[in-house]
Amino acid sequence: MTILVLGGAGYIGSHTAYELIDRGEDVVIVDNLETGFLQAVHPKARFYQGDIRNRSFIDSVFEKEKIDAVIHFAANSLVGESMVNPLKYYDNNLCGTKVLLESMVAHDIDKIVFSSTAATYGEPERVPILETDRTEPTNTYGETKLSMEKMFHWTGKAHNLRYVSLRYFNACGAHKSGLIGEAHNPESHLVPLILQVPNGQREAISIFGEDYDTTDGTCVRDYIHVTDLAQAHIRAVDYLVKGNESSIFNLGNGIGFTVKEVIEAARKVTGDPIKTVIVPRRAGDPAKLIASSEKARTILGWKPEHADLEEIIASAWNWHKNHPNGFAK
Ligand code: UFG
């Protein structure tokens, strides 16, 4: 199969391209390199630099390449930024996806798997969260992802296009080769920020609030290895290729860890005491987000292979200690 990976130079996109190529698939990558890195593009993939909002560019890719299915990661994904600059998120995530869908429909490409998020749920009614639970995003990022899901739904009905939406919980970890890993600028995610302490780039890790209604007062999240996420995308493509109907799946381990537990695991992995400071809550953080991934397990036959938190952090550490500045020289 020839799979087009949009955003294949980014964190989850690059890991998915590596897994696809490992499985022997033919991979085409499109990325505007706004937040992605050329060094993250697999050397065996055919790479086109460009933006999904540019209709003639995306048309030209579909004309040059015979694409069997699309995996779509090309979006902005920072919750904080989405609250300060909401229109950037509407433009890239929604307008970009609209142009992409127009081009797919015009070229008779009828299968797409795309990144959604736990942020579509907002403050959850209960944990573990089911795909059928209330979706009431509390930030623009989650709102644009939920709107993307709806755009796929209605476009799919009208144009015979099928989609799988994958709602990720907290992606972390890095590829086993040590060649690619998480690199955001600025970094805002917990695991890479913790590892900046043993890497000598940060004095201490800030804990955003210790007065939540959880076992130790810090927020609980469901941390999932990026390679397990990548494998779920491949399963989702296979699911669509077999002719199955459009669907939405949560992706997480189904186990929650507090911020303090994540820091403790990082201490074990790195052997560093990792200093902490307690600071006020970050606005908009729900106390607990844990996925029910039963649907993905049952229907996609997906099972996380790297669910152990210390194993996840060890893979991230293997990347960060050798690439303290990410992909920058
Ligand atoms: N945290 C800290 N200190 C830090 C950074 C984070 O205590 O320096 C805490 C946060 O308060 C949160 C947990 O660590 O409780 C994880 O925070 P991240 O920023 O790593 O991840 P989020 O859970 O906020 O965000 C993730 C995804 C988003 C997605 C969101 C859904 O990264 O893309 O889940 O709620 F939108």
Side-chain angles (χ1 to χ4, degrees), residues 123-142:
E123 190 65 50
E125 336 175 44
R126 56 168 169 189
V127 291
I129 303 171
L130 291 170
E131 289 83 352
T132 44
D133 284 355
R134 180 188 62 205
T135 46
E136 229 171 74
T138 51
N139 55 61
T140 316
Y141 166 63

Side-chain angles (χ1 to χ4, degrees), residues 8-9 14 18 29 31 33 37-45 47 180:
S14 62
Y18 267 64
I29 290 178
D31 201 297
L33 298 183
F37 300 90
L38 195 54
Q39 300 96 309
V41 171
H42 194 291
K44 286 194 181 150
F47 176 61
I180 53 170

